[in-house]
Amino acid sequence: MKKLTALLLIFCLTLALAGCGGDASPAGGSTLVYGSGDYTRINPAMDEHCEINVLLFDGLTDHDGQGAIVPRLAKSWDFDENTNTYTFHLEENVTWHDGQPFTAEDVKFTIEAIQNPDNGSENAPNYEDVESITVLDAHTVSFRLSEPNYAFLEYMTMAILPKHLLEGEDMQSSEFFLHPVGTGPYKLQSWDVGQAITMVKNESYFAGPAKIDNLIFKIVADDASRALQLRSGELDLAQVTPKDAATFQNMEGLTVYDMATSDYRGILYNFHNPYWQENADLIPAISFAIDRQAMVEAVLLGCGETAYSPLQKNVYNDPTVEHYDYDPAQAEALLAQAGCEKSTDGFWYRNGEKIGFTINASAGDQVRVDLAQIAAQQLQAIGLDVKASVPPEGIDWGGQEACIIGWGSPFDADDHTYKVFGTDKGANYSGYSNAQVDEYLTQARRTDDPAQRKAAYAAFQQALAQAPAYTFFCYIDAIYIANAQLQGIAADTVLGHHGVGIFWNICDWTL
């Protein structure tokens, strides 16, 4: 139940490109107004892909503009191969936004809270190998792993939370997550729910204060309104759809950033639903019926590329995996091989039941809505009774048949694979289970040998393609429109899910 509750909160967060601003005016200085969807809470330990996290919080490690691991709250670390133990040496003189000192106890508290199954964190699979955490002194903490996990330093980018404010609190519902206190470069000033979140720079930030004094994350719920407010000057920065982006080209006073991502879209099939327990073997046929290039051209206006794998943008991608390139004749042949029959009404039937389902899309995300509609049209064209829907009450994750999913990570290949496709893992919202997939993903995280990892991830991709969890559509660019006076955005950085990652060097920005 806690996991389902968390899913409902996460759905609200998937609409967010970042936070929002408060109606309280910042206390002077430069102010950046960023257009965003809404937040229900700011809880980095339980949720993810939240742009505001890196502004308010820090991890022990961080990413640079090329996605490499660099120090943050940990100034250095050691690894003992004999005992699978990482020891982190923490920065000293770091304080929380309330003035209290940051210590190794905060690190231990945060990771143990994520590990606790009662808390229902979707990030828990990242730390399932941690068998003990030892505070050696106020600025030294060690993690002993039961098995090697090559991605461990990647996962120590996790935002660290203050033990003194959260100990004994409910990690899903605590009021803290509406009034977060971190160590990051900005601190919360006010949160006008449904309107804005206002932050001011942390003058005492241990890595040096940011150059922009204030950040207002203004809630702008739909894409069209975001584009309008960029034109009117109400926003300094926002992500827009490809269709809106085309109208900003060569517009005086604004800069267009078309940034590559590892962020893919496709159909998530809900294997908890009896329909897919009976018809999962039809998913390859469905996949052959999707014209991905038409999607890239019509929906993304060329700002993206066709997708066939969750690791397509990763060094461990296997390009020989089945792409399911558009082939409606092959789709119909597979339906016939599965015992389906096409009736005189033009639809396919199985055991007397018309084959069809509904693809849900998130309200407020026009790209997902458009992808759902074009996918339904393409599947109808071969005789499948497929409909697109935008549920006004939100997606019923447990009861739906299918939806447009978005995932992806520019970092270690373990990220957004192990916890997304592994059986019963924290972000496996489809209920997918494949023993071979589980085995290969585990093999890949257990070794630091590039050749062995490459072989394991190739086998994972082949197994996933043979029994698909998703029908992949496309990778989408993240297109940001910015006030031309805003300087410092690293345009070559490959961004993650929802275009998250643009703020990685926020302290260097000027306006």
Side-chain angles (χ1 to χ4, degrees):
M1 182 59 71
K2 276 202 172 186
K3 183 174 179 180
L4 184 56
T5 301
L7 264 176
L8 297 175
L9 291 167
I10 290 163
F11 168 69
C12 295
L13 286 167
T14 62
L15 304 182
L17 301 173
C20 323
D23 60 356
S25 298
S30 55
T31 298
L32 171 66
V33 182
Y34 177 67
S36 166
D38 207 353
Y39 277 88
T40 58
R41 65 181 184 180
I42 301 171
N43 187 344
M46 300 297 112
D47 311 324
E48 65 158 277
H49 58 72
C50 203
E51 197 75 87
I52 203 168
N53 290 348
V54 299
L55 302 173
L56 298 173
F57 298 96
D58 294 302
L60 296 193
T61 62
D62 204 349
H63 297 109
D64 65 14
Q66 287 71 50
I69 294 294
V70 295
R72 183 55 61 183
L73 288 173
K75 57 187 177 183
S76 64
W77 51 83
D78 310 307
F79 178 59
D80 183 343
E81 294 185 5
N82 294 325
T83 61
N84 287 323
T85 299
Y86 288 87
T87 300
F88 293 90
H89 308 282
L90 308 181
E91 291 279 359
E92 301 179 16
N93 302 316
V94 177
T95 59
W96 295 98
H97 293 157
D98 64 0
Q100 293 298 306
F102 157 76
T103 74
E105 291 289 351
D106 299 307
V107 178
K108 177 180 172 69
F109 169 80
T110 300
I111 304 305
E112 287 183 343
I114 295 171
Q115 287 182 295
N116 186 342
D118 293 339
N119 291 332
S121 173
E122 68 175 22
N123 297 308
N126 298 345
Y127 309 97
E128 65 184 29
D129 297 318
V130 176
E131 63 178 16
S132 66
I133 306 173
T134 303
V135 172
L136 300 175
D137 60 46
H139 300 105
T140 313
V141 59
S142 69
F143 292 77
R144 181 172 181 134
L145 278 57
S146 58
E147 300 284 349
N149 182 346
Y150 185 70
F152 186 70
L153 290 176
E154 171 75 38
Y155 296 135
M156 295 316 291
T157 60
M158 168 58 62
I160 302 302
L161 301 176
K163 177 181 178 180
H164 69 281
L165 295 177
L166 275 166
E167 189 171 29
E169 293 284 303
D170 188 305
M171 292 298 292
Q172 289 285 353
S173 61
S174 172
E175 287 290 311
F176 172 89
F177 301 114
L178 301 178
H179 312 280
V181 172
T183 62
Y186 285 87
K187 53 186 178 181
L188 184 72
Q189 181 184 65
S190 63
W191 187 340
D192 184 5
V193 176
Q195 299 298 318
I197 298 174
T198 299
M199 293 166 283
V200 297
K201 72 177 181 181
N202 178 5
E203 296 283 4
S204 302
Y205 189 49
F206 75 96
K211 294 180 173 64
I212 296 177
D213 298 294
N214 312 292
L215 288 182
I216 298 178
F217 275 26
K218 183 180 180 184
I219 296 172
V220 187
D222 67 274
D223 297 322
S225 296
R226 198 172 296 127
L228 286 171
Q229 292 190 30
L230 282 163
R231 293 189 186 93
S232 68
E234 296 171 70
L235 301 176
D236 295 305
L237 177 67
Q239 190 176 348
V240 300
T241 67
K243 291 179 181 178
D244 286 326
T247 69
F248 286 96
Q249 296 295 334
N250 303 316
M251 185 174 289
E252 187 175 355
L254 295 171
T255 303
V256 178
Y257 294 91
D258 186 346
M259 301 179 71
T261 78
S262 60
D263 191 14
Y264 60 80
R265 298 289 180 271
I267 301 174
L268 172 150
Y269 301 97
N270 180 16
F271 296 103
H272 297 296
N273 190 302
Y275 187 83
W276 295 113
Q277 294 171 9
E278 298 171 3
N279 294 300
D281 61 323
L282 303 184
I283 293 175
I286 294 168
S287 297
F288 274 120
I290 296 297
D291 187 345
R292 294 161 180 80
Q293 189 58 41
M295 290 178 166
V296 170
E297 294 171 2
V299 179
L300 305 185
L301 303 185
C303 298
E305 64 182 81
T306 59
Y308 57 83
S309 164
L311 291 179
Q312 200 166 321
K313 298 297 188 75
N314 194 275
V315 65
Y316 292 119
N317 181 53
D318 178 9
T320 71
V321 72
E322 174 62 70
H323 289 201
Y324 289 104
D325 292 329
Y326 181 52
D327 190 342
Q330 177 68 358
E332 297 208 44
L334 289 179
L335 289 169
Q337 290 175 22
C340 306
E341 297 180 350
K342 198 168 191 178
S343 178
T344 55
D345 63 4
F347 288 104
W348 286 89
Y349 286 78
R350 189 179 216 182
N351 299 324
E353 298 290 332
K354 187 185 293 185
I355 299 171
F357 55 95
T358 298
I359 306 173
N360 291 321
S362 305
D365 189 328
Q366 193 58 49
V367 169
R368 294 197 194 204
V369 171
D370 291 346
L371 289 173
Q373 291 173 342
I374 195 171
Q377 293 167 6
Q378 292 174 356
L379 294 171
Q380 289 166 9
I382 70 159
L384 298 179
D385 186 23
V386 177
K387 301 177 178 63
S389 175
V390 184
E393 70 283 0
I395 292 177
D396 175 11
W397 286 88
Q400 70 175 344
E401 292 173 318
C403 72
I404 301 297
I405 190 66
W407 274 129
S409 167
F411 306 125
D412 190 272
D414 190 84
D415 191 23
H416 286 81
T417 54
Y418 187 83
K419 71 178 181 181
V420 170
F421 299 105
T423 300
D424 295 329
K425 301 305 179 186
N428 184 347
Y429 301 129
S430 67
Y432 180 76
S433 181
N434 183 319
Q436 284 188 316
V437 163
D438 294 343
E439 178 183 353
Y440 298 136
L441 286 175
T442 299
Q443 288 177 7
R445 68 168 17 194
R446 293 285 182 257
T447 178
D448 62 357
D449 183 294
Q452 293 181 22
R453 294 197 95 202
K454 187 174 183 64
Y457 280 122
F460 153 67
Q461 290 169 86
Q462 295 289 346
L464 185 68
Q466 291 171 13
Y470 302 161
T471 290
F472 294 99
F473 288 171
C474 51
Y475 280 82
I476 65 174
D477 292 354
I479 307 175
Y480 284 91
I481 310 298
N483 182 328
Q485 295 181 356
L486 178 61
Q487 300 295 311
I489 293 175
D492 294 333
T493 298
V494 177
L495 303 179
H497 185 36
H498 289 291
V500 166
I502 194 170
F503 287 113
W504 74 271
N505 65 335
I506 181 66
C507 288
D508 298 328
W509 291 13
T510 59
L511 180 61

